[in-house]
Amino acid sequence: MGCPLQDDVVLTAPMFAGLDRESSSALVERMKTHDFVRGQVLFHEGEPGDRLYVVRSGKIKLGRRSNDGRENLLAVLGPGEMFGELSLFDPGPRTATATVVADAVILELGHAELIAWLEANPGVAQHLLQALARRLRRTNEALADLVFSDVPGRVAKALLDLSTRFGEKTDEGVRVAHDLTQEELAQLVGASRETVNKALADFAARRWVRREGRAVVLLDLDRLERRAR
Ligand code: CMP
């Protein structure tokens, strides 16, 4: 496991919100821990699901594929974030495919165990609802952006969003090690790789960002925020 439970980022997941460390830690210890490497798939869209997951380290992308094979990313999740709960609250197949983007340690909890946990700790339901509501809010915003914003605006927004999860302050600005390929970044923005690249090259020419392989340094947050609006 490697890290003491009281510092465990897993405890920041919504199903532990507002609970004392002792009972939360007891549940974490009952959860199964797995190591995954980049490219591994935890589950596919359309499969039945009977468990949810919490990220301890690494990154997971949630994606959907169209009939003609194109892919779209709904989200990239990092430490402390939960996924796989929709098929519990709305019984049905998985709504997205979960794939490892950066080597990850993931904890899993069976849906039946979560239900028992909610019965024992009813206050937790409010935090789960809050997490779902926040996700819906973000999804609505992304939907509106697809209709109303241009690609550079959406690229700026995606970079700022990734920085809230994976950003690290440096002397220059905020370094965001997103671990996404150009193709994956384009799938997250919902545009072609060429158009997204063009927007990034333009941001780099203006010195708003600096590209570093699968990372980007945000040099001018103000300009990016204005561009994202
Ligand atoms: P489930 O449908 O069980 O499996 C896929 C998971 O992806 C889903 O549960 C959610 O946890 C997650 N997911 C689906 N849609 C979104 C979204 N728009 N934003 C973030 N996560 C999502």
Side-chain angles (χ1 to χ4, degrees):
M1 283 234 254
C3 52
L5 270 179
Q6 62 270 25
D7 298 332
D8 196 337
V9 66
V10 166
L11 295 178
T12 61
M15 68 260 222
F16 302 112
L19 297 177
D20 64 83
R21 287 285 153 129
E22 212 173 304
S23 47
S24 303
S25 299
L27 182 66
V28 171
E29 277 170 5
R30 288 211 304 279
M31 293 168 79
K32 285 202 194 107
T33 307
H34 297 283
D35 292 357
F36 293 96
V37 295
R38 178 174 167 86
Q40 270 187 286
V41 174
L42 278 78
F43 55 76
H44 286 99
E45 178 185 353
E47 287 175 358
D50 65 352
R51 64 203 61 199
L52 65 79
Y53 301 84
V54 180
V55 184
R56 174 174 277 154
S57 63
K59 300 183 186 82
I60 302 294
K61 64 174 181 179
L62 296 163
R64 296 180 64 121
R65 196 181 270 271
S66 67
N67 288 338
D68 61 6
R70 283 174 301 158
E71 262 198 79
N72 164 241
L73 292 191
L74 298 170
V76 180
L77 304 183
E81 293 188 283
M82 163 194 81
F83 60 99
E85 76 296 334
L86 288 191
S87 46
L88 163 70
F89 295 122
D90 178 23
R94 295 289 191 196
T95 56
T97 298
T99 311
V100 179
V101 171
D103 294 359
V105 178
I106 308 285
L107 273 66
E108 60 173 57
L109 180 68
H111 283 168
E113 270 212 271
L114 180 70
I115 296 291
W117 177 249
L118 287 177
E119 277 165 8
N121 303 282
V124 168
Q126 196 184 333
H127 295 284
L128 284 173
L129 280 173
Q130 193 181 29
L132 288 178
R134 203 177 302 136
R135 202 167 271 178
L136 182 59
R137 211 185 262 274
R138 288 190 62 239
T139 305
N140 283 350
E141 210 169 302
L143 188 63
D145 287 343
L146 272 178
V147 179
F148 300 126
S149 297
D150 60 2
V151 174
R154 302 206 307 263
V155 172
K157 201 160 199 174
L159 295 178
L160 291 166
D161 186 47
L162 288 167
S163 81
T164 62
R165 296 197 158 112
F166 308 117
E168 270 176 35
K169 276 219 160 80
T170 67
D171 290 344
E172 278 184 300
V174 180
R175 185 169 190 279
V176 188
H178 51 67
D179 287 305
L180 300 172
T181 62
Q182 292 181 357
E183 189 65 46
E184 287 168 330
L185 197 55
Q187 289 166 355
L188 186 63
V189 170
S192 72
R193 192 159 66 88
E194 293 72 22
T195 335
V196 170
N197 258 335
K198 209 166 141 227
L200 279 170
D202 177 55
F203 291 174
R206 292 170 192 268
R207 300 204 45 77
W208 295 357
V209 305
R210 190 158 48 72
R211 304 165 81 178
E212 285 183 358
R214 287 188 188 166
V216 60
V217 184
L218 309 187
L219 303 169
D220 194 333
L221 288 172
D222 282 350
R223 296 288 176 102
L224 284 169
E225 270 159 21
R226 261 181 272 159
R227 191 63 185 84
R229 256 180 239 143

